[in-house]
Amino acid sequence: MDKWEARFRTSPRYLRMFPPRSPPRISHVNATLIGLPRQWCSLIVQLQSGHIGLNAHLHRIQRSPTPNCDSCTATGNSKPETVNHFLFECPTYRKERHLMKQKLGRGADSLAHLLLGKKDTLRELIKFTGRTGRLKATFGEFCLD
């Protein structure tokens, strides 16, 4: 284990990205991302770390007046727009989530499976994100074959 990996393993972000049950080796995560477009890798790493253009993070860095999901707030149900909310809970993306679940099965209900999965799983996650259009301002259009 090199110096950087040892330092990273002691950081709070490591525990958020890799819960204590079965942390994958960093080399495994890097190997999964090899060959994917840079835009996709950036999205996946930002989803893993929680440092992404969703209101919970933007509010934390003082770029959004509220941490709540705009869609849910408009319907009178204020919930923080976290990665978990975006991927699993927000009713606005119910249709997109259903399409992803059709392809991935039960794996679509697991954050670890989605963010640390194989390339096919990551591809479906990218498709989901592209279909929602929620992160279009940050990442632009996703080129999906």
Side-chain angles (χ1 to χ4, degrees), residues 32-33 36 39-49 52 54 82-88 93 96-97 99-105 107-135 139 142-144:
T32 305
L33 298 178
L36 293 178
Q39 178 186 29
W40 294 14
C41 294
S42 178
L43 172 68
I44 292 162
V45 169
Q46 288 180 38
L47 284 168
Q48 289 172 338
S49 67
I52 192 161
L54 298 173
T82 61
V83 170
N84 200 57
H85 176 77
F86 172 65
L87 294 176
F88 304 115
Y93 309 123
E96 293 83 359
R97 195 172 299 113
L99 293 171
M100 182 172 62
K101 282 184 181 186
Q102 282 183 317
K103 294 283 187 175
L104 298 177
D109 294 329
S110 165
L111 187 62
H113 182 77
L114 286 177
L115 297 180
L116 303 172
K118 297 178 181 178
K119 286 187 181 182
D120 293 341
T121 303
L122 297 177
R123 183 177 299 273
E124 287 304 319
L125 177 62
I126 298 298
K127 286 181 182 180
F128 166 80
T129 305
R131 285 191 295 257
T132 66
R134 174 61 182 91
L135 299 168
F139 295 98
F142 288 105
C143 299
L144 304 169

Side-chain angles (χ1 to χ4, degrees), residues 44-110:
I44 292 162
V45 169
Q46 288 180 38
L47 284 168
Q48 289 172 338
S49 67
H51 290 229
I52 192 161
L54 298 173
N55 285 343
H57 174 66
L58 295 176
H59 181 70
R60 194 169 47 245
I61 62 171
Q62 301 174 349
R63 296 289 184 247
S64 173
T66 176
N68 296 331
C69 175
D70 296 333
S71 303
C72 293
T73 302
T75 62
N77 188 11
S78 296
K79 290 188 175 183
E81 188 183 34
T82 61
V83 170
N84 200 57
H85 176 77
F86 172 65
L87 294 176
F88 304 115
E89 300 169 2
C90 189
T92 304
Y93 309 123
R94 187 175 291 128
K95 178 182 172 187
E96 293 83 359
R97 195 172 299 113
H98 176 72
L99 293 171
M100 182 172 62
K101 282 184 181 186
Q102 282 183 317
K103 294 283 187 175
L104 298 177
R106 285 189 283 173
D109 294 329
S110 165

Side-chain angles (χ1 to χ4, degrees), residues 13-27:
R13 286 186 182 82
Y14 181 81
L15 291 175
R16 205 170 1 167
M17 289 173 65
F18 309 117
R21 281 189 271 175
S22 60
R25 294 194 42 77
I26 291 175
S27 58

